[in-house]
Amino acid sequence: MRNAEGFKSSSSLTEADIKKKKRNTLIVRTIIWILLIIAAGICLMPFYSMIITSSHANSEIARKLLLVPGDHFFDNYNRLVDVVPIWRGFLNSLFITIISTILGLYFSALSGYGFSKYQFKGNSLLFAAVLATMMVPGQLGIIGFFRLVNEMGMLNTYWPLILPSISNAFALFFFKQVADNTVPQAMLESGRIDGARELAIFHKIGLPLMAPSLATMGIFQFIGKWNEFLQPMILIFDTELQTLPVLIASVRSQFNVDYGAQYVGIVISIIPIMIVFAIFSKQIIGNVMAGAVKE
Amino acid sequence: MFKNKINKNPHGYYFIAPFFISFFVFGLGPILYSFYLSFTDWSGFNQPSFVGFANYERLLGDALFFKSIGNTLIIWIFSIIPQLTIALTLALVLHEKFIRGRHLFHAIFYFPNIITPITLGVMFALMFDWQTGSINKLLEAVGAISEPIYWLNDVWLSRIIVAGVMMFQNFGFNMLVFLAGLQAIPHDLYEAAEIDGASKFQTAIRITLPLMRPVLIFTLITSVIGGLQIFDAPLMIGKGPNDSTLTMIMNLYEAAFIRYDYGYGATIAYGAFVVIAIATVITFLIPGVRKKKEA
């Protein structure tokens, strides 16, 4: 297309005009480029500031703007980990998040496939009911949830954090669409003729065909679960069992004048995410955009 | 014939059963139970005792509840307008072919979205701390202010800071959604416009925006439901002077899990649900939203 444009222009404009136009485009593009770089800098600045400030003593943090690393990181770090088991919280969060994501993906794919491939009685009614729950705010049932968990004797355990992942309406909706589009009925029929059982057909034919979408939904479920805060805060009492976000929140109240320790807490919660994101950012962003189109 | 026989069998129910069991136990059950609890007096230690509409009468006369609605709406508007403007601008710019290192920009702008809201809340609280925060230190260093500003003790500044956290967290995600929408627009439309001699601005107004409308509307609706439930980040920043940054869900949390007034907490949850439902309906009533959604 660029050639065609150039050809068309040269027929109606003089050489000087073209040069001027080209120069103007170049100037505009350079300005846009510089603005983009500034915007990216502003976006990263808070994270940079956290990392730098975490390596200074409290007296310095209170005194001046800090732009270069200091040498008090381990002093701050030791004060923090003496009181708050932050790495334990990290592992707890990782455990809950991984188990929840796997369970959530498997059962959402299973039920999405079920809705897509079986015309049982009440199919569309039940599906509409699931869609309706997507409009209901997540915190509506929190008080009843708390009491039911208490009655079932599951307070201070991971069950009420993990098991609800099985019924994620958004994931079910997503996987029904995926099954509609990627799993042809004919392949299932051939599996049936070979005498395979229905669940085996799902495992051997359905699930592998849906696999690329598992990654997309997996990223959403992982981030959502990793960030969960209200549920663990009200359901878990033991500091040793607590998740990272709740521990970060407790650092804020326990170290309210010890800023150095608070900064270290923030840095610990950011750095691992930053490393994972630096390695997988292409895949993560690609999947987020793929998910956005399917919505 | 064969297909029908297979599809009528009950396998479909087995596939969706785990989802619905979990959904009834951890989703719908607690929501209905909360509705019952909203008519009771329950402090967590006694058995809930039925009190009729007393909690709802109290809610309608509760100035703090109405204040929390106002706060939430103000914070939402302050966050959603710049958020969508920045996201759309960045998406339009990054969609241009001449941008180099596009993936790096995607990654940088999306990065805040995968950081835990609690962490971002503490980050902003630390940055805007009036004695030790880097924002005041920066403004003092460049000579913009001589006395530190007490950001979080000002009604409007504290609301703007909470809105700023929400914006910082979400603009990158919305940018990716918009970029996915832009990539779905067929190239030949732009080529046709270019041949017809349309300017960049005309192309944006006549082609890009109309075709992006369903994406914009989807984003707006989900942001109403999500944005009115904000809790984690504002909790870390605090209630502000005179509860000026107390959001609806923070109010629910404090009533139930700080003051142990669980029955009334459930009532607040249903009050907040009504507010969010009304806001969602109003969004649908904005001229053009419904019509374009169907198209």
Side-chain angles (χ1 to χ4, degrees), chain A residues 23-279:
Chain A
R23 207 180 54 216
N24 282 342
T25 322
L26 197 70
I27 291 170
V28 169
R29 285 180 177 185
T30 313
I31 291 172
I32 289 177
W33 235 89
I34 292 169
L35 288 177
L36 259 183
I37 291 168
I38 291 172
I42 292 172
C43 190
L44 290 178
M45 210 51 209
F47 301 108
Y48 177 77
S49 169
M50 291 295 131
I51 294 169
I52 294 299
T53 314
S54 71
S55 64
H56 286 271
N58 282 325
S59 54
E60 274 181 288
I61 295 173
R63 212 175 60 236
K64 59 176 201 279
L65 183 68
L66 302 162
L67 294 171
V68 290
D71 52 6
H72 282 75
F73 181 84
F74 287 101
D75 295 346
N76 295 333
Y77 174 84
N78 289 332
R79 283 200 311 282
L80 177 74
V81 294
D82 278 348
V83 180
V84 179
I86 201 122
W87 291 110
R88 178 68 205 262
F90 195 88
L91 291 178
N92 292 339
S93 272
L94 203 60
F95 176 77
I96 295 171
T97 305
I98 288 174
I99 303 277
S100 300
T101 305
I102 293 170
L103 268 185
L105 286 178
Y106 177 76
F107 284 105
S108 310
L110 183 77
S111 44
Y113 172 91
F115 270 115
S116 169
K117 297 303 166 209
Y118 299 97
Q119 300 308 314
F120 50 84
K121 211 174 152 197
N123 181 313
S124 44
L125 186 74
L126 284 172
F127 190 66
V130 171
L131 283 193
T133 65
M134 281 170 66
M135 302 295 267
V136 176
Q139 318 298 6
L140 177 60
I142 194 77
I143 311 282
F145 184 64
F146 175 72
R147 186 165 158 83
L148 277 177
V149 167
N150 187 14
E151 303 276 292
M152 291 189 280
M154 294 200 289
L155 276 186
N156 209 25
T157 70
Y158 287 161
W159 297 113
L161 297 178
I162 290 172
L163 291 178
S165 307
I166 293 173
S167 51
N168 180 327
F170 177 65
L172 168 77
F173 174 68
F174 177 83
F175 282 120
K176 180 184 182 285
Q177 281 184 312
V178 170
D180 282 345
N181 295 329
T182 61
V183 184
Q185 196 81 36
M187 283 183 77
L188 307 181
E189 300 296 348
S190 67
R192 279 174 193 133
I193 290 164
D194 292 344
R197 301 174 61 165
E198 295 295 321
L199 196 61
I201 293 174
F202 169 70
H203 288 147
K204 294 218 176 91
I205 302 172
L207 204 53
L209 286 171
M210 293 161 81
S213 304
L214 290 176
T216 302
M217 191 36 71
I219 286 164
F220 284 109
Q221 295 211 336
F222 191 96
I223 294 174
K225 203 67 197 177
W226 182 262
N227 291 342
E228 201 175 69
F229 172 68
L230 183 58
Q231 283 82 351
M233 184 170 60
I234 62 174
L235 298 173
I236 306 287
F237 306 134
D238 255 331
T239 311
E240 286 290 312
L241 292 177
Q242 201 48 278
T243 65
L244 188 64
V246 182
L247 290 180
I248 295 291
S250 78
V251 166
R252 174 106 185 110
S253 48
Q254 288 183 47
F255 289 84
N256 61 24
V257 289
D258 187 347
Y259 291 96
Q262 285 190 48
Y263 278 100
V264 170
I266 294 301
V267 169
I268 290 177
S269 76
I270 292 173
I271 295 288
I273 304 286
M274 211 179 234
I275 293 169
V276 172
F277 188 66
I279 299 169

